[in-house]
Amino acid sequence: MTSVRETSAGTGPAFGLWYDFRNPVPDRPFGSFYAEVLDQISWAEQKGLDSVWLTEHHFCDDGYSPSPFVLASAIAQRTSRMRIGTNLIVSPLHDPVRLAEDSATLSLLSGGRFDLGVGQGYWVREFEAFGRKVTQRPSLLEEGVEVIRQAWSGSAAGYQGRRYRLPPLPVTPVPETPPQLLVGAMADVAIERAARIGDGFLSTQNAHHRSYLDALERLGRPVADARIYAGQWAIVAEDPERVWSRIGQHALYQLNEYISWGAFGPPDEVPRFTDPAQIVEAGAYQLMDAELAVTHFSGLLAATPQIRDVHFWAMLPGEPVDSGSERIAYLADKVVPAVRERLRA
């Protein structure tokens, strides 16, 4: 049986896909969309992709996935080797005991292939709707991680904190293989917190790897053993400019929605993108063919061997599933084997 920490890359970095299940297409029913994407994920595993990552938001007109654990369960049943993770769950919106229970169940269902990635969130509307204070998100995140770890240990000691209380009861069943507890962050203080409380770091656009490693060093933790899971904002295709001309509007929608929610700072202080070309000029998305991608990712992974996984948006919001599958096939056939060969050399 394959080790739960092993991928088709052996001990090398994994390559995976990132899904938000957004569907801003009026005539595409969610039921059929979910079925198509599950088929795509099963096929991607056969193509050699190693991981699938799910993200979460609520109250979105386009159906941005509010239930990653349900989707992860379906994916676990359709795959046998892929690791499944969340990048990420907005943990302050949830009861940490339920996060622990759902994650333990997923770990058991998947044979230990599940990892829980969490973050503190940023969207005020979500916090208000769930009766949480956005100003309390750091302590909600940190205490939530403490509760989750205690729950997975099987301890009946109970917990008493500023935000959460757990009576002296065991949380069952405990996972046979405890998931990794990964933490995402972008601001310096949040990166410091991720280094202190997490088993690994969820990064965005490769911008904060050095900050995370420096934080580990300050904490006296072994930098060589660090684990970074790197979400990529890149279009990798045989003719990426031609593909971008077709799908750039979907990226425009995606990024401007994130900006309006406050993902990159106060929404009234971060300018929206006006056209897809501006996105590429700003470096928010990179366009690469196989040759450029192999050079780029070989260099990235060689320079930062703590990166254990790089994962790419499987498709942009509103993009046809088949269009995303074309890029997945190109990545699996033309890029991943060449990167692995270059790293071995």
Side-chain angles (χ1 to χ4, degrees), residues 25-303:
V25 181
D27 59 350
R28 183 167 66 178
F30 272 93
S32 59
F33 176 55
Y34 283 180
E36 281 188 78
V37 175
L38 289 173
D39 286 344
Q40 183 188 70
I41 292 169
S42 177
W43 163 81
E45 182 182 63
Q46 297 169 27
K47 293 289 292 180
L49 275 296
D50 303 301
S51 63
V52 58
W53 297 85
L54 308 172
T55 185
E56 170 199 40
H57 273 299
H58 301 268
F59 314 110
C60 301
D61 292 340
D62 58 20
Y64 196 124
S65 175
S67 300
F69 290 133
V70 177
L71 293 166
S73 180
I75 292 166
Q77 299 308 302
R78 295 287 300 270
T79 58
S80 60
R81 178 186 55 79
M82 272 181 155
R83 292 202 66 80
I84 304 164
T86 54
N87 185 4
L88 48 70
I89 294 288
V90 185
S91 61
L93 304 181
H94 299 271
D95 183 323
V97 173
R98 291 310 312 270
L99 290 181
E101 291 172 334
D102 287 344
S103 298
T105 302
L106 274 167
S107 181
L108 293 165
L109 278 173
S110 65
R113 291 186 287 131
F114 180 74
D115 292 314
L116 176 63
V118 298
Q120 67 179 12
Y122 52 83
W123 196 7
V124 173
R125 186 167 83 178
E126 287 180 318
F127 278 78
E128 291 177 345
F130 281 94
R132 301 286 200 271
K133 293 182 178 179
V134 73
T135 55
Q136 296 176 351
R137 55 192 179 146
S139 56
L140 287 166
L141 170 65
E142 191 159 347
E143 286 193 13
V145 166
E146 292 175 8
V147 172
I148 291 167
R149 290 195 189 281
Q150 180 169 307
W152 288 344
S153 75
S155 169
Y159 180 87
Q160 182 68 53
R162 294 171 61 200
R163 308 300 176 202
Y164 296 114
R165 178 182 176 275
L166 176 64
L169 296 170
V171 179
T172 60
V174 297
E176 295 164 1
T177 304
Q180 294 186 101
L181 219 168
L182 312 173
V183 181
M186 288 190 284
D188 288 344
V189 65
I191 292 171
E192 191 87 20
R193 185 182 306 111
R196 179 164 47 82
I197 70 175
D199 298 324
F201 177 53
L202 297 169
S203 74
T204 299
Q205 297 172 317
N206 305 316
H208 304 102
H209 298 164
R210 188 68 257 167
S211 296
Y212 175 70
L213 297 176
D214 288 346
L216 287 176
E217 195 166 31
R218 287 192 297 273
L219 291 165
R221 297 193 170 186
V223 172
D225 296 336
R227 307 182 72 85
I228 296 174
Y229 298 80
Q232 304 300 309
W233 295 64
I235 299 299
V236 182
E238 184 172 6
D239 187 344
E241 287 77 16
R242 180 183 61 81
V243 171
W244 187 251
S245 70
R246 176 168 50 82
I247 69 171
Q249 289 293 330
H250 300 298
L252 189 70
Y253 167 85
Q254 179 192 42
L255 284 165
N256 283 340
E257 286 284 288
Y258 277 128
I259 291 169
S260 73
W261 301 343
F264 306 112
D268 56 349
E269 297 178 12
V270 181
R272 292 354 180 227
F273 291 102
T274 57
D275 63 75
Q278 192 182 45
I279 293 172
V280 176
E281 291 167 6
Y285 263 95
Q286 296 175 285
L287 307 184
M288 306 179 187
D289 61 11
E291 182 179 3
L292 181 58
V294 170
T295 299
H296 174 79
F297 289 107
S298 298
L300 175 71
L301 294 166

